[in-house]
Amino acid sequence: MVTTPTALLLHGAFTDASVWVRVTARLRHHAVPVTAPANPLGGLAADAAYISCVASRIAGPVVLVGHAYGGTVISAAGTAPNVVGLVSIAAYALAEGESVRDLERRFPSPTVAGRLGETAHPLGTGHPFAGLARTEAAPAAAWRTRPSWMLLAGADPASSPEAVRFCARRAEATLLEIGDAAHAVPLSHPADVAELIRDAVRATT
């Protein structure tokens, strides 16, 4: 029987799974099973449904880890029965029916938010992905029933530190703050990110 949770690492909107390469190496060194699927970037509900399906096919428990937009996705995808924890890295954890834009209206906007062109990454449906990523409402909030860990990057221009801190309080999450970290924190601070994931894996084993 598999008892050590698999860490499923999900990248954000404007990168790919290579953002996790330094984190993955550290986790494997400590015998943590790891998988890093591609984020399909089809919209929050569609991406959450896909990742929930991927997680449910993994033997044994799963800790979902998401960076940036990927963190928003795991919060909605984490209702899969074998998901035992959530780790959000420089990311928001939305409530049901809440969008990124809804959340950010309550806090100072991150620097990058106003620069996202809503014609980027057009989907087959005719709706631009950049628009959907910010305006689509979350279909679920797995942090209500799963333990959560969050990392706040204090120098992140893409997510509001105040909003991340609010999400962590709301989810009663364990919060790690790195004051000098920018948005690509899995690359700039891989040891800190890996250790936070290991904390989640140890707590849920």
Side-chain angles (χ1 to χ4, degrees):
M1 178 181 292
V2 178
T3 57
T4 301
T6 295
L8 187 159
L9 312 181
L10 187 65
H11 64 83
F14 302 108
T15 183
D16 57 29
S18 65
V19 74
W20 296 113
V21 63
R22 297 177 183 175
V23 174
T24 298
R26 285 166 170 80
L27 293 176
R28 288 180 173 155
H29 177 74
H30 290 283
V32 176
V34 180
T35 184
N39 190 338
L41 305 181
L44 180 54
D47 295 342
Y50 172 76
I51 294 302
S52 180
C53 181
V54 172
S56 69
R57 293 175 180 270
I58 295 173
V62 173
V63 170
L64 292 182
V65 184
H67 173 237
Y69 168 72
T72 306
V73 173
I74 67 160
S75 182
T79 55
N82 62 330
V83 172
V84 295
L86 307 169
V87 183
S88 299
I89 308 297
Y92 302 138
L94 301 179
E96 306 93 330
E98 184 178 56
S99 71
V100 169
R101 183 167 292 173
D102 292 336
L103 180 65
E104 288 184 343
R105 281 174 176 162
R106 303 169 61 180
F107 301 95
S109 295
T111 306
V112 171
R115 300 178 184 174
L116 287 177
E118 295 200 354
T119 58
H121 297 276
L123 303 176
T125 57
H127 298 294
F129 172 72
L132 282 177
R134 300 183 60 75
T135 61
E136 187 175 358
W143 50 262
R144 295 193 187 277
T145 56
R146 270 68 170 179
S148 299
W149 290 257
M150 298 185 74
L151 186 151
L152 186 157
D156 188 353
S159 60
S160 163
E162 293 88 348
V164 172
R165 200 173 287 116
F166 166 79
C167 289
R169 287 196 303 268
R170 181 169 64 178
E172 299 182 352
T174 299
L175 178 63
L176 171 64
E177 297 195 26
I178 304 178
D180 64 345
H183 191 59
V185 64
L187 292 173
S188 64
H189 293 73
D192 295 306
V193 173
E195 188 59 26
L196 186 64
I197 296 168
R198 288 184 65 212
D199 287 346
V201 167
R202 286 190 290 254
T204 56
T205 297

